Structure formats: C-alpha cells, structure tokens
Amino acid sequence: MTQNGSELVPAWARRTAGEHRWPAAMAVAVTIGLQLLMPPQVVPDARLVLPALQLALLVGLVVVNPFRMDRQSAALRAGGLVLTGLVALANGWSVVLLVVDLLTGRPGSPAELLTAGGAIWLTNVLAFGLVYWELDRGGPAARAAAARDRPDFLFPQMQVPEIAGAEWEPAFVDYAYLSFTNATAFSPTDVLPLSRWAKLTMAVQAGVSLVVVVLVVARAINTLG
C-alpha cells in the first residue's frame, strides 16, 4: 500500500503499472482454437468468419499494445470490446445450435455430444471471463489508471488487504476463476457482483452453463440407454 495523506490506499484503488496482456490474449487464442475444433453442426455455416475476425483483432491489439495494458485509448478500448463481443457471439451461436441439435434429436454418439458440449462449456467459461475482465471498472486500462473507484465485482482480497498483500489487484486469472466458479456452482462463490450489469451477466452465464450441462448429459445418458 502507499500513503495518501493519512489513508492507506490499496493497489487496486490507485494507479498502477497495469497487467500484462498475454493471459487474456492466450484465452482468446484458446477460444479460437476451440471454435475451429467443434463439430460442424454446432458452429455457423461460414465457420471461419468469426474466428478470422477474432484473430485479426487479437493480432492488431497485440501489435499496437503488446505488453502492459495501461494505455487509455478509445481505439484500443473499442477493439477490446469488439473482440470480446465476437468471442461471446461465437459462443452464444454455438450454444443455440447445440440446443437445437439436441432437441431435434439428431443422431450422435455420446462421445460426440460430450466433446461438443465440453468445448462449448469451456468456451463459455473463457468468454465470460473476458467479459468480466473487459467491463469491470471500465476495463484493464481504466483499472490501471484508477479511473473508477467503485468496483463492479468485490473480490475477497479487497476486503482483507492485509492478508492479500500490499500490491494485490485483480488480473485476468481472477476473472477467469470467477467465471469458472459461476459456471460450475451456478452462483457467486467468493466474488460478489455489485453492479446490476454484473449480476445480470453472471445470471446469463449460469443459465447457459446449466442448459449445456443438463441437456448434454441427459442426451448422452439417453443415447447410452
């Protein structure tokens, strides 16, 4: 912590150097790979369009700002939001196609169903992790600049800074963990959503995860039977 008058200011509430880009970039790269590996029936007809757009945006963002995410730029912000939106769109599209496929009874082996469902579920975790990371307090660059003092997500380290350490601040891995626990528990665990958009987004993710898990497992069991 640093001294600000007589008040100690934790790292997440003051200007810092910003987090590295590579963890979020790796997550986007994994989602692109998963989209390319999914069965044709659960991806859009022009299956290469969305992955190609995501890859182009990712490369552009890495080239312009390859290291720490501490530059507040309207162009970089727009690029990050569009990239996250494309990842979420591709995931949502695959969820819809999977649900339609399961409800219409297309023949398929349990292995195919579980593979497709697992890939979509993992993409769902990474996609919503990117959404939380990109939107909380205005995004990574705004968090580095301490542009907003009211968090959208309350991490436990914010409540016990003496245990978390003087320099703790949320990074992509924290948002990915939040997304994973929400997708498995279907509810908040140790991280509390404070703003309305955060609560609604977590509700949507939990709903998508629940639908995918229930339908895929039920169909696989039915096929085995």
Side-chain angles (χ1 to χ4, degrees):
M1 296 182 184
T2 60
Q3 191 76 20
N4 181 16
S6 60
E7 181 183 358
L8 292 174
V9 182
W12 66 267
R14 57 177 163 85
R15 182 181 292 273
T16 61
E19 63 181 289
H20 292 283
R21 178 179 288 280
W22 70 265
M26 287 294 296
V28 174
V30 171
T31 64
I32 293 173
L34 288 172
Q35 292 168 46
L36 295 175
L37 293 174
M38 287 181 190
Q41 63 269 23
V42 295
V43 293
D45 292 334
R47 66 176 300 153
L48 296 180
V49 173
L50 286 177
L53 290 174
Q54 294 166 43
L55 182 60
L57 274 171
L58 176 62
V59 171
L61 289 171
V62 170
V63 168
V64 174
N65 186 202
F67 302 114
R68 289 191 178 273
M69 304 190 63
D70 55 359
R71 292 174 53 187
Q72 287 192 283
S73 161
L76 287 172
R77 178 65 175 153
L81 289 173
V82 171
L83 176 57
T84 301
L86 288 174
V87 172
L89 173 63
N91 178 65
W93 202 329
S94 292
V95 170
V96 171
L97 292 176
L98 177 66
V99 171
V100 170
D101 195 46
L102 292 173
L103 294 179
T104 53
R106 187 193 71 84
S109 68
E112 290 176 331
L113 293 172
L114 293 174
T115 300
I120 291 175
W121 185 88
L122 180 56
T123 304
N124 183 55
V125 170
L126 294 174
F128 276 92
L130 288 165
V131 170
Y132 302 144
W133 173 78
E134 192 67 63
L135 296 183
D136 184 28
R137 285 193 295 146
R143 289 194 297 273
R148 300 182 185 181
D149 58 354
R150 295 187 177 182
D152 296 292
F153 294 100
L154 182 64
F155 290 88
Q157 291 90 338
M158 294 176 175
Q159 304 176 72
V160 284
E162 64 277 5
I163 296 177
E167 299 303 318
W168 185 91
E169 58 184 323
F172 176 74
V173 66
D174 299 290
Y175 296 98
Y177 175 75
L178 162 64
S179 181
F180 176 81
T181 56
N182 190 48
T184 52
F186 310 120
S187 66
T189 54
D190 62 332
V191 182
L192 297 178
L194 300 182
S195 61
R196 291 188 176 95
W197 78 258
K199 294 176 181 179
L200 292 174
T201 306
M202 288 188 69
V204 170
Q205 184 198 8
V208 170
S209 181
L210 180 62
V211 167
V212 170
V213 170
V214 169
L215 286 182
V216 168
V217 171
R219 181 64 186 279
I221 292 175
N222 183 64
T223 303
L224 286 172

